[in-house]
Amino acid sequence: MKLQAGQPARDFQVTDIHGNPVRLNDYAGKKLMLSFYRYASCPLCNLRVHDLIRHQPEFRARGLHMLAVFQSPAESIQRYVGKQLAPFPIVADPARSLYRLYGVEPSWAGFGKAMLFKLPMAFEAVIGNGFLPGRMEGDKAMIPADFLIGPDLVVRDAFYGKDIGDHMPIRDVENFLKS
């Protein structure tokens, strides 16, 4: 079941790829961006992580904490995403329990749409940044999602992508930080 703005964020307790515990309650009193991705070697996902890493100093200075979730095992995340040295926790969720909890689902229509319309983004990821595709783990048609969660652990914005490269616009994150 998909979340909507105004609903409480769904509670979880997991570990990140380094074995550190991560709980939703750890973010009480803080602003959180919870992002769901496809698999660790997805070029479009790595491009998005790269973009968030670039914005992270500004976002962190404005009080934003970030948490990323991939449907790949920790070893794959460390191999592909980990080489970017993301300054925020990343959770491996190969059983997709957090995906189900937050209503993040696959869509073959969204997969096909991206194949038609996200080609320039794919070239930027692969050619411009060296994010080569690798082993596809989990559901290939998983669609990304982003949630902005307030200090009271209430969802302020729930963004469910329309295709495999569709994430919440950065300007929406900036607007959240102004509130």
Side-chain angles (χ1 to χ4, degrees), residues 35 52-53 55 71 75 92 128 139:
S35 297
L52 289 177
I53 290 170
H55 284 89
Q71 61 178 344
E75 302 78 35
D139 194 320

Side-chain angles (χ1 to χ4, degrees), residues 83-148:
K83 66 183 177 184
Q84 296 189 67
L85 302 175
F88 45 82
I90 301 174
V91 172
D93 187 19
R96 295 194 303 272
S97 57
L98 287 176
Y99 288 79
R100 285 189 295 282
L101 186 65
Y102 277 77
V104 181
E105 301 174 338
S107 167
W108 283 104
F111 181 85
K113 180 181 175 185
M115 295 297 109
L116 293 173
F117 300 110
K118 297 288 179 162
L119 209 48
M121 182 187 278
F123 278 123
E124 179 186 352
V126 175
I127 306 298
N129 289 284
F131 299 129
L132 301 174
R135 185 171 164 208
M136 293 184 192
E137 299 159 315
D139 194 320
K140 295 175 191 78
M142 187 59 68
I143 303 298
D146 297 296
F147 301 89
L148 298 176

Side-chain angles (χ1 to χ4, degrees), residues 4 16 32 48 56 62 67 72 84 92 98 100 105 112 121 125 128 137 147 151 176-177:
Q4 296 178 13
D16 70 13
L32 172 65
R48 173 60 174 205
Q56 198 272 345
R62 295 171 68 190
L67 178 61
S72 296
Q84 296 189 67
L98 287 176
R100 285 189 295 282
E105 301 174 338
M121 182 187 278
E137 299 159 315
F147 301 89
F176 170 64
L177 294 173

